[in-house]
Amino acid sequence: NISKDLKRSLPVGLGLSETKITSHDFDSTKEGVVEAGPFPGSSASPKSSIISPSSAAASRLAGQGCDLIIPTGGRAQQKSGPVVLADEVKNPAMEKLELVRKWSLNTYKCTRQIISEKLGRGSRTVDLELEAQIDILRDNKKKYENILKLAQTLSTQLFQMVHTQRQLGDAFADLSLKSLELHEEFGYNADTQKLLAKNGETLLGAINFFIASVNTLVNKTIEDTLLTVKQYESARIEYDAYRTDLEELNLGPRDANTLPKIEQSQQLFQVHKEKYDKMRNDVSIKLKFLEENKVKVLHNQLVLFHNAIAAYFAGNQKQLEQTLNQFHIKLKTPGADAPSWLEEQ
């Protein structure tokens, strides 16, 4: 009866002698595998049909950690070895969400620290010597910007005066040719105005060179240093924010729930402390080099400005030209209708 029931349960065309059932231990590469093929000792060729596993068998296979794979060809195959779950594919959207979460948390901490400092409730780290140097730099920048603005105004006014003097000299020269009785008088005035225009053009070149150098110092060199200062101040706020968090956690209870938080807070505090120390060192170095560069640049430019102004109003054309040669300032051809622009060699 058992043999008849088994035969009835087999698919048509598959004999009892053509099946084998193997069962091995849990560590075996084939656990509870039902294979269709010739029975040992049988010469029958394998059939294309397979035994469809019942739900009970499938449950047992799943409980043993086996994977049942049915390829396109229709033959059931068994994966060998333990089941290894592949790492979950990283989702770009989740990564962005995590970055936003970290940024929001950091922004919240820094904002809370700033508000606490403004209200006088929170403590802040202060480097007195460095803070004093930064305040002096910001104050000097405002004063240099004012000098730059005034020098630009002087340059504009001098340009208008030189232009007027040149036009006046041309008018005198024209009248000198057309007024025979006043030929010499108009001629003297024409020469004087043209000479003044020429000297004014030379002075204009010196002033424009002064403006260009001070502008580079103020809006590039000093501004670059102040950008590093802003980064340093942001790092200081972050450092104090995470320092405050760590201090608050250390004041609370220490148990299984709080110890991991304290450890994580300690790690974050150390990261921001290193960042703060690095930025403070960077600012100190930049301030030192800026001071050296500022003294050198302003020394040369102030000497140029003084000598050029003094020579111009003393009417010393030779000294005025020597001043421009000393600082390697080259003007366009004197006497041109358009005002000259200085060129740096």
Side-chain angles (χ1 to χ4, degrees):
N1 294 333
I2 297 175
S3 176
K4 292 179 180 180
D5 293 338
L6 182 58
K7 288 180 178 181
R8 283 196 299 270
S9 66
L10 293 175
V12 177
L14 184 64
L16 179 61
S17 63
E18 296 172 331
T19 64
K20 64 176 181 178
I21 301 176
T22 59
S23 177
H24 304 284
D25 295 334
F26 181 77
D27 294 334
S28 173
T29 58
K30 293 183 179 181
E31 301 168 338
V33 181
V34 180
E35 297 181 352
F39 194 77
S42 173
S43 60
S45 60
K47 304 296 182 180
S48 60
S49 303
I50 62 172
I51 298 177
S52 301
S54 64
S55 59
S59 299
R60 288 196 299 272
L61 290 174
Q64 294 174 354
C66 297
D67 290 337
L68 183 64
I69 302 177
I70 302 179
T72 308
R75 177 174 295 278
Q77 297 179 357
Q78 166 66 28
K79 267 191 175 181
S80 61
V83 178
V84 179
L85 297 177
D87 291 339
E88 188 175 326
V89 179
K90 293 183 178 180
N91 189 339
M94 295 300 295
E95 291 181 354
K96 291 181 179 179
L97 186 62
E98 179 63 18
L99 290 175
V100 171
R101 187 190 69 82
K102 291 181 178 180
W103 175 83
S104 301
L105 182 60
N106 186 74
T107 302
Y108 163 74
K109 291 179 181 292
C110 294
T111 303
R112 184 185 63 177
Q113 177 66 25
I114 293 172
I115 294 174
S116 298
E117 291 177 5
K118 290 186 178 297
L119 295 177
R121 299 175 182 175
S123 60
R124 63 185 300 262
T125 304
V126 179
D127 187 324
L128 295 177
E129 182 179 357
L130 191 61
E131 293 290 339
Q133 293 177 4
I134 293 173
D135 290 340
I136 292 174
L137 176 61
R138 285 177 170 150
D139 184 59
N140 285 339
K141 183 174 183 290
K142 293 180 180 179
K143 294 178 179 178
Y144 296 156
E145 287 174 339
N146 184 50
I147 289 177
L148 189 60
K149 182 179 178 181
L150 294 174
Q152 289 171 340
T153 301
L154 178 62
S155 175
T156 301
Q157 294 172 345
L158 180 60
F159 168 75
Q160 294 294 338
M161 186 181 74
V162 169
H163 182 65
T164 302
Q165 287 174 333
R166 188 166 298 282
Q167 288 181 326
L168 187 58
D170 292 339
F172 282 145
D174 182 62
L175 288 172
S176 175
L177 297 175
K178 296 180 180 179
S179 301
L180 297 179
E181 66 280 3
L182 296 173
H183 170 74
E184 293 185 1
E185 289 80 359
F186 279 125
Y188 294 153
N189 280 278
D191 293 340
T192 301
Q193 292 301 320
K194 288 182 179 180
L195 179 61
L196 289 174
K198 179 182 177 181
N199 291 342
E201 189 177 54
T202 305
L203 176 62
L204 187 63
I207 293 176
N208 286 339
F209 186 79
F210 172 83
I211 291 172
S213 299
V214 175
N215 181 68
T216 299
L217 174 66
V218 173
N219 294 318
K220 290 186 179 180
T221 309
I222 294 180
E223 190 63 32
D224 178 70
T225 303
L226 289 177
L227 179 61
T228 306
V229 169
K230 290 179 181 178
Q231 295 172 349
Y232 156 73
E233 291 174 342
S234 297
R236 197 277 305 166
I237 292 173
E238 290 180 349
Y239 164 71
D240 281 336
Y242 285 91
R243 174 183 58 80
T244 301
D245 272 359
L246 181 60
E247 291 174 352
E248 291 175 354
L249 288 173
N250 284 329
L251 291 175
R254 291 177 173 267
D255 51 35
N257 292 329
T258 59
L259 285 177
K261 294 181 180 180
I262 294 175
E263 182 179 357
Q264 183 183 18
S265 179
Q266 178 66 41
Q267 293 174 354
L268 292 173
F269 165 76
Q270 188 63 33
V271 169
H272 287 87
K273 182 179 184 300
E274 293 174 359
K275 180 181 177 181
Y276 166 73
D277 291 337
K278 179 181 179 301
M279 292 306 305
R280 180 174 58 181
N281 184 60
D282 290 348
V283 170
S284 298
I285 292 174
K286 281 204 170 186
L287 286 173
K288 179 181 178 181
F289 284 116
L290 173 63
E291 185 65 22
E292 296 174 356
N293 185 50
K294 181 194 71 174
V295 171
K296 180 179 179 181
V297 170
L298 288 181
H299 169 76
N300 293 334
Q301 295 305 315
L302 290 173
V303 170
L304 164 68
F305 192 85
H306 170 270
N307 291 346
I309 292 288
Y312 173 79
F313 284 100
N316 193 335
Q317 181 181 359
K318 184 178 180 180
Q319 183 180 353
L320 185 59
E321 292 175 352
Q322 287 177 350
T323 300
L324 267 66
N325 292 333
Q326 178 184 355
F327 290 89
H328 307 288
I329 301 173
K330 184 178 180 181
L331 302 178
K332 288 187 177 180
T333 305
D337 292 336
S340 62
W341 298 92
L342 68 158
E343 297 175 353
E344 199 172 345
Q345 290 183 343

